Amino acid sequence: MKIVIIGGGAGGLSTASNIRKYDEDAEITVITRDEHIAYSPCAIPYVLSGDVGCFDDIIMHEPEDYLEREITVITRAEVFEVSSETNKIKYKLIDNHEESSGIENELSYDYLIIATGGAPFIPPVEGAELEGVFKIRTIKDGSMINEWAKKSQKAVVVGAGLIGLEIAYGLKKIGLEVTVTEMLPQIVPRSLDPSMASIVQKYIEKKGINVILGQAIDKISGEEKVEGAVFGDEEIEADMVILATGVRPETKLAKMAGAKLGRWAILVNEKMQTSIPNIYAVGDCVEVYDAITGHNTQSPLGSTAVRQAKIAAKNITGINAEFNPVLNSMVSKIGDLEFGAVGLTKTAALQNGLKVISGKSRALTKARYYPGAKRIDVKMTVTLKGKIIGCQIIAEERVAERVDTMSLVIAKGINCSELANMEFSYAPPVSMVIDPIILAAEDACDKLNKLNK
Amino acid sequence: MKIVIIGGGAGGLSTASNIRKYDEDAEITVITRDEHIAYSPCAIPYVLSGDVGCFDDIIMHEPEDYLEREITVITRAEVFEVSSETNKIKYKLIDNHEESSGIENELSYDYLIIATGGAPFIPPVEGAELEGVFKIRTIKDGSMINEWAKKSQKAVVVGAGLIGLEIAYGLKKIGLEVTVTEMLPQIVPRSLDPSMASIVQKYIEKKGINVILGQAIDKISGEEKVEGAVFGDEEIEADMVILATGVRPETKLAKMAGAKLGRWAILVNEKMQTSIPNIYAVGDCVEVYDAITGHNTQSPLGSTAVRQAKIAAKNITGINAEFNPVLNSMVSKIGDLEFGAVGLTKTAALQNGLKVISGKSRALTKARYYPGAKRIDVKMTVTLKGKIIGCQIIAEERVAERVDTMSLVIAKGINCSELANMEFSYAPPVSMVIDPIILAAEDACDKLNKLNK
């Protein structure tokens, strides 16, 4: 069985490894445009901040590691033709391949996996091509930002999603004056309600980061190099501008193959199969089904790609497996502050026409008297029937696993009164006798009881 | 409505507070033998270790705080008669009540709540009455240990359950030479399998604590004061011996009232009602139903008492509520090591005649390249049909919330293949791209697949 995988990120390489796990004999070839493979793009901000030593540290594997498992990895190679009629792809070597650069090659496949990921979206503003303007996606992007930051004093980060905030914090930490800007009236608009976002905002402002909300970037000023960023009437001086304005799925090759596209990305079924039976797709380039809204959405996360890869590999090797609808669980850490969410915010629920209330708690991460207890904020989105459909959590510790608990709650359709009676573990140095999650569930129950009176 | 509650611990006082929440007019009286109320006995070891400043810190409320909410609390008072025919109890003031000591009083009730807790079990060994031998239950016990420890060099802690280990670590931390002994061949026998217990054992041994397994204490030697503890042929020198040999439910008053007792403790239904309709019981003095074995068991935990109190209070005030069968979730922290468990160990499952396998993972608490990532060990107990019925987790961070996630998994009957596909949150500083829980579930699936081939 000949397998060709386009893309050397989490989706592509996990598919390769999983296929090898289930099939010792498959011929597996991975082709990627990138120079590096198997690295964690989500770790780039933490290299910039100095928390992780260097970019080499976040590369988990080299192509040679895959060769040991008889997986061929071709780097710096661009696929320029996919034919689902002949089951062949054509690629050429690019970049620094020296004498062989530009040479065209052909590979035939029994199964093709498209794991082409996404490309940073560059807003169409004047000055976006100036020196000192950066996008953020690959290690190469990260290295360039890192070098440029060394000779810079002032940075503007456009976009206050996770990556934007993480980069902003990283640059602040290494001594730059940093402004982060967001078109929408709050930070982290995809995952947090305004009230929860403002907790994170206060934290980053306290760390000295300047935040501008409700302003799209109008222009990047400068001659050859960036000199400032213009928002309405205001111009902010800057030696560098980082565009963290989202990612667009790379669907060109899928389209060329004739696979159906959805509103944003490649359409796949629950087996991760495209509309062409022997072409699968995984990762940031596909659309997923949202467990709560019932609509298609995007889930551009490494963890999603890894789970999809397992499903694709199983189905390709003859094992039935289905990718579950997504719950959109996320977590991030900025400085000491951890924040995470799963499911729908109250805002998103209302936008989706759902009638909901919030269950809230503000409590502590340890027993009240235990030294080092941190404040924790929990906010749940709960339907009028008591079903929990979302949760946001912020604290300086122990957030990620609570988000995972809430993922299970939402996936299993547990309502707030059932959750309020759930048995949670307790010891003074690690928890409160009544967990903040339980307190928020109780708050939701109390509110619903009052509504129904 | 007249409510009398016997017991001023987590069970008794939470019942009082919850009744007040649902009924503004109830006359509520709490009677306790103890001088202090509303403190966290589980915190005593952390005061001994110096992690928590002093015993006053772990007292959450004074009787006056309850008076504000019109809850009368009578401390240092012993109930010596309960009559379920007349619906009356009699008590006398004891201890340091000076002139009023010994005076008898009577209270009538519409509902009586028995929250008498448990008393430390003192093994019937020679020397148990010597000076320098301590039990550990109340703040008074804790204070006495604290004082005695100041003039001691060597301590023996009998019993390697949670409290035993926590006390042993506390005494070691303040400079004593400490030996902890256990009758059974492993530490934490109730919650951990031998392989997991040995990880904890290695950790405490590395901290300099001496561990003796498979030896019951035969004698405590000394004239007036403790001089040593004898185990078989061996005598260990000691200035103090702490008996952490378990707790026996206090059922005397329940028996006097004519309430039915079970094998260990007071029998209650899912409303926390005893066999006498207007007498309820909560906390360490009742038996609970085990969700997995289907047998009655004990759950002597503050968190259990608090959940039971809420259920009792609701039912007494006319709101239907049921206490769920217990999953036996627990967590502890010794030094930097956190360990927790829920459901059945493999050992316990086999003892209960269940056929099971284990799903295991040894992974990290953060991305591999992220500084400060700690080792984490997960072991799941899984039936041959794939149902998860237990889980043990050990790491130097982020254990408690994972135990809670697994409580939900077990409560909802989620099997290992469903868990292996679950969506967990991910960010390099706080988790691995595939959570250790997922890895253990995958391991269980792989093992079951091999068995079924």
Side-chain angles (χ1 to χ4, degrees):
Chain A
M1 188 164 68
K2 284 184 184 172
I3 311 279
V4 172
I5 298 169
I6 309 175
L13 287 170
S14 294
T15 307
S17 304
N18 276 291
I19 290 177
R20 176 57 74 233
K21 177 178 170 185
Y22 300 115
D23 184 340
E24 287 179 10
D25 303 319
E27 274 179 41
I28 309 173
T29 308
V30 179
I31 306 179
T32 172
R33 266 201 309 223
D34 208 341
E35 182 185 345
H36 304 288
I37 61 160
Y39 63 86
S40 186
C42 9
I44 293 172
Y46 303 106
V47 181
L48 291 178
S49 69
D51 288 311
V52 173
C54 64
F55 285 106
D56 279 350
D57 286 350
I58 65 172
I59 299 174
M60 312 293 277
H61 296 286
E62 300 293 339
E64 299 75 49
D65 300 333
Y66 286 90
L67 254 191
E68 279 175 26
R69 304 172 64 193
E70 297 188 55
I71 295 168
T72 306
V73 180
I74 305 168
T75 58
R76 293 175 291 159
E78 175 132 39
V79 176
F80 62 92
E81 201 178 299
V82 177
S83 163
S84 57
E85 285 180 16
T86 61
N87 289 334
K88 280 181 182 161
I89 63 124
K90 286 186 183 166
Y91 68 92
K92 59 183 171 204
L93 300 176
I94 53 169
D95 218 357
N96 304 314
H97 265 284
E98 289 155 17
E99 67 276 15
S100 42
S101 240
I103 291 182
E104 294 185 6
N105 293 280
E106 194 178 79
L107 276 176
S108 65
Y109 62 81
D110 296 308
Y111 287 98
L112 177 68
I113 293 96
I114 299 176
T116 40
F121 168 70
I122 307 298
V125 293
E126 193 186 324
E129 74 299 336
L130 289 172
E131 264 195 281
V133 179
F134 299 94
K135 60 186 172 54
I136 174 77
R137 176 80 184 168
T138 62
I139 282 193
K140 205 170 156 186
D141 298 329
S143 303
M144 291 195 303
I145 293 173
N146 208 17
E147 287 309 310
W148 195 270
K150 284 178 190 162
K151 49 185 183 174
S152 300
Q153 271 87 48
K154 294 176 182 182
V156 170
V157 178
V158 181
L162 297 191
I163 289 285
L165 294 181
E166 288 162 6
I167 294 277
Y169 181 77
L171 294 175
K172 179 74 206 174
K173 201 171 166 195
I174 57 170
L176 277 77
E177 196 175 300
V178 179
T179 301
V180 58
T181 74
E182 170 61 47
M183 196 169 70
L184 294 169
Q186 66 162 93
I187 64 171
V188 203
R190 190 176 166 163
S191 303
L192 298 181
D193 276 322
S195 63
M196 297 296 273
S198 79
I199 297 172
V200 180
Q201 183 180 339
K202 272 177 203 147
Y203 180 88
I204 62 171
E205 284 175 339
K206 218 170 147 185
K207 293 285 170 191
I209 294 169
N210 184 25
V211 179
I212 297 178
L213 299 175
Q215 284 279 13
I217 187 163
D218 290 312
K219 188 185 159 184
I220 300 171
S221 57
E223 295 288 315
E224 276 183 25
K225 289 198 292 188
V226 166
E227 287 166 21
V230 180
F231 300 85
D233 296 337
E234 196 179 1
E235 175 161 0
I236 302 165
E237 265 184 56
D239 309 307
M240 63 192 301
V241 171
I242 291 115
L243 300 169
T245 35
V247 162
R248 297 292 174 271
E250 287 264 30
T251 57
K252 200 178 70 187
L253 295 176
K255 204 172 166 185
M256 188 187 287
K260 272 189 195 150
L261 303 186
R263 184 166 163 195
W264 296 284
I266 305 168
L267 283 180
V268 289
N269 62 16
E270 66 284 353
K271 294 174 189 291
M272 303 313 299
Q273 192 177 30
T274 69
S275 59
I276 300 166
N278 68 337
I279 302 185
Y280 285 68
V282 299
D284 294 3
C285 61
V286 306
E287 285 188 14
V288 293
Y289 186 77
D290 186 301
I292 297 157
T293 64
H295 299 136
N296 268 16
T297 183
Q298 291 176 269
S299 179
L301 300 168
S303 46
T304 301
V306 167
R307 287 184 299 120
Q308 290 175 334
K310 190 164 74 172
I311 301 298
K314 282 189 169 178
N315 285 300
I316 287 169
T317 56
I319 304 165
N320 257 323
E322 292 189 2
F323 183 71
N324 293 333
V326 299
L327 302 164
N328 293 305
S329 87
M330 58 68 60
V331 65
S332 177
K333 193 174 180 189
I334 309 272
D336 288 324
L337 193 71
E338 218 175 307
F339 57 98
V342 55
L344 292 187
T345 58
K346 189 177 179 186
T347 315
L350 296 173
Q351 280 165 356
N352 275 275
L354 297 167
K355 286 185 181 165
V356 294
I357 57 141
S358 306
K360 293 181 195 172
S361 72
R362 168 165 289 186
L364 295 169
T365 56
K366 304 180 202 290
R368 216 186 305 170
Y369 49 79
Y370 206 91
K374 312 280 187 192
R375 196 181 88 184
I376 179 165
D377 284 279
V378 178
K379 181 178 180 184
M380 283 177 197
T381 313
V382 183
T383 69
L384 299 190
K385 286 191 173 164
K387 195 175 162 191
I388 299 165
I389 59 169
C391 188
Q392 303 155 60
I393 307 178
I394 305 176
E396 288 189 27
E397 60 174 357
R398 296 177 180 275
V399 167
E401 296 73 25
R402 282 195 170 90
V403 170
D404 298 340
T405 301
M406 292 309 300
S407 292
L408 270 167
V409 164
I410 295 170
K412 300 307 286 183
I414 293 174
N415 69 26
C416 57
S417 62
E418 188 178 356
L419 181 57
N421 285 325
M422 197 56 72
E423 179 178 333
F424 277 32
S425 62
Y426 164 62
V430 296
S431 52
M432 290 183 81
V433 68
I434 307 178
D435 195 88
I437 285 178
I438 305 283
L439 293 174
E442 283 177 350
D443 182 52
C445 292
D446 289 348
K447 283 179 183 157
L448 289 175
N449 285 339
K450 274 182 200 156
L451 274 181
N452 296 330
K453 257 185 190 166
Chain B
M1 190 164 65
K2 283 185 184 171
I3 312 279
V4 171
I5 298 170
I6 309 174
L13 287 171
S14 295
T15 307
S17 304
N18 276 290
I19 290 178
R20 175 59 73 235
K21 178 177 171 187
Y22 300 116
D23 184 339
E24 288 179 11
D25 304 319
E27 274 180 43
I28 308 174
T29 308
V30 179
I31 305 179
T32 171
R33 266 201 309 222
D34 208 339
E35 183 185 343
H36 303 289
I37 61 161
Y39 63 86
S40 186
C42 11
I44 293 171
Y46 304 106
V47 181
L48 291 179
S49 70
D51 288 312
V52 174
C54 64
F55 286 107
D56 279 352
D57 286 350
I58 65 172
I59 299 173
M60 312 296 275
H61 296 286
E62 300 292 339
E64 298 76 50
D65 300 332
Y66 286 90
L67 255 191
E68 280 175 25
R69 303 172 64 195
E70 296 188 56
I71 294 169
T72 306
V73 180
I74 304 170
T75 58
R76 294 176 290 158
E78 175 132 39
V79 176
F80 61 92
E81 199 176 301
V82 177
S83 163
S84 57
E85 284 181 15
T86 61
N87 288 333
K88 279 181 183 160
I89 63 125
K90 285 185 183 168
Y91 68 93
K92 60 183 171 203
L93 300 176
I94 54 169
D95 218 357
N96 304 314
H97 265 285
E98 291 155 17
E99 67 277 13
S100 41
S101 240
I103 291 182
E104 294 185 4
N105 294 279
E106 193 178 81
L107 275 176
S108 64
Y109 62 82
D110 297 308
Y111 288 97
L112 177 68
I113 293 97
I114 298 177
T116 42
F121 169 70
I122 308 298
V125 292
E126 194 186 322
E129 74 298 336
L130 289 172
E131 265 196 278
V133 179
F134 299 95
K135 59 187 173 53
I136 173 77
R137 176 79 184 171
T138 61
I139 283 193
K140 206 171 155 186
D141 297 329
S143 302
M144 290 194 305
I145 294 173
N146 208 19
E147 286 309 308
W148 195 270
K150 284 178 190 161
K151 48 184 185 178
S152 299
Q153 271 86 50
K154 294 177 182 181
V156 169
V157 178
V158 182
L162 298 190
I163 290 283
L165 295 180
E166 288 162 5
I167 295 276
Y169 180 77
L171 294 175
K172 179 73 207 175
K173 201 171 167 194
I174 56 171
L176 276 77
E177 198 175 296
V178 179
T179 301
V180 59
T181 74
E182 170 61 46
M183 196 169 68
L184 294 168
Q186 66 162 94
I187 64 170
V188 202
R190 191 178 165 159
S191 304
L192 299 181
D193 275 323
S195 63
M196 298 295 275
S198 78
I199 297 172
V200 180
Q201 184 180 339
K202 272 178 202 146
Y203 180 87
I204 62 172
E205 284 175 341
K206 217 170 149 185
K207 294 284 170 190
I209 294 169
N210 184 26
V211 179
I212 297 179
L213 298 176
Q215 285 279 13
I217 187 165
D218 290 311
K219 187 185 158 184
I220 301 170
S221 56
E223 296 288 316
E224 277 183 23
K225 288 199 294 187
V226 167
E227 287 166 20
V230 180
F231 300 85
D233 296 338
E234 197 179 359
E235 175 162 359
I236 302 164
E237 266 185 57
D239 309 307
M240 61 193 301
V241 171
I242 292 114
L243 300 169
T245 36
V247 162
R248 296 293 173 272
E250 287 263 30
T251 56
K252 200 178 69 185
L253 295 176
K255 206 173 165 184
M256 188 186 290
K260 274 191 195 149
L261 304 187
R263 185 166 162 195
W264 296 283
I266 304 169
L267 282 180
V268 289
N269 62 16
E270 66 285 352
K271 295 175 188 290
M272 303 311 299
Q273 194 176 30
T274 68
S275 59
I276 300 167
N278 68 336
I279 302 185
Y280 286 67
V282 299
D284 294 3
C285 60
V286 305
E287 285 189 12
V288 293
Y289 186 77
D290 186 301
I292 298 157
T293 64
H295 301 313
N296 266 18
T297 183
Q298 292 176 269
S299 177
L301 300 168
S303 46
T304 301
V306 167
R307 287 184 299 119
Q308 290 175 334
K310 190 164 74 174
I311 302 297
K314 281 190 169 176
N315 285 299
I316 287 169
T317 56
I319 304 163
N320 257 320
E322 291 189 3
F323 183 71
N324 293 333
V326 299
L327 302 164
N328 293 306
S329 87
M330 58 69 57
V331 64
S332 178
K333 192 174 181 190
I334 308 271
D336 288 325
L337 193 71
E338 217 175 308
F339 57 99
V342 54
L344 292 188
T345 58
K346 190 177 178 188
T347 315
L350 296 174
Q351 282 165 353
N352 276 277
L354 298 167
K355 287 185 180 166
V356 294
I357 57 141
S358 305
K360 292 181 194 172
S361 72
R362 170 165 286 186
L364 294 169
T365 56
K366 306 180 200 290
R368 217 185 306 170
Y369 49 79
Y370 205 91
K374 312 280 186 194
R375 196 180 88 184
I376 179 166
D377 285 278
V378 178
K379 181 178 180 184
M380 282 176 199
T381 313
V382 183
T383 68
L384 299 189
K385 287 191 171 164
K387 195 175 163 191
I388 299 165
I389 59 168
C391 187
Q392 301 154 62
I393 307 179
I394 305 176
E396 289 190 26
E397 60 174 356
R398 296 180 181 274
V399 168
E401 296 73 24
R402 283 193 170 92
V403 170
D404 297 340
T405 302
M406 292 308 301
S407 292
L408 270 168
V409 164
I410 295 171
K412 299 308 285 182
I414 293 173
N415 69 27
C416 56
S417 62
E418 187 177 357
L419 181 57
N421 284 325
M422 196 56 71
E423 179 179 333
F424 276 33
S425 61
Y426 165 62
V430 296
S431 53
M432 291 183 80
V433 68
I434 307 179
D435 195 88
I437 285 178
I438 304 283
L439 293 174
E442 282 177 351
D443 181 52
C445 292
D446 289 348
K447 282 179 183 158
L448 288 175
N449 285 339
K450 274 181 200 157
L451 273 182
N452 295 333
K453 255 184 191 163

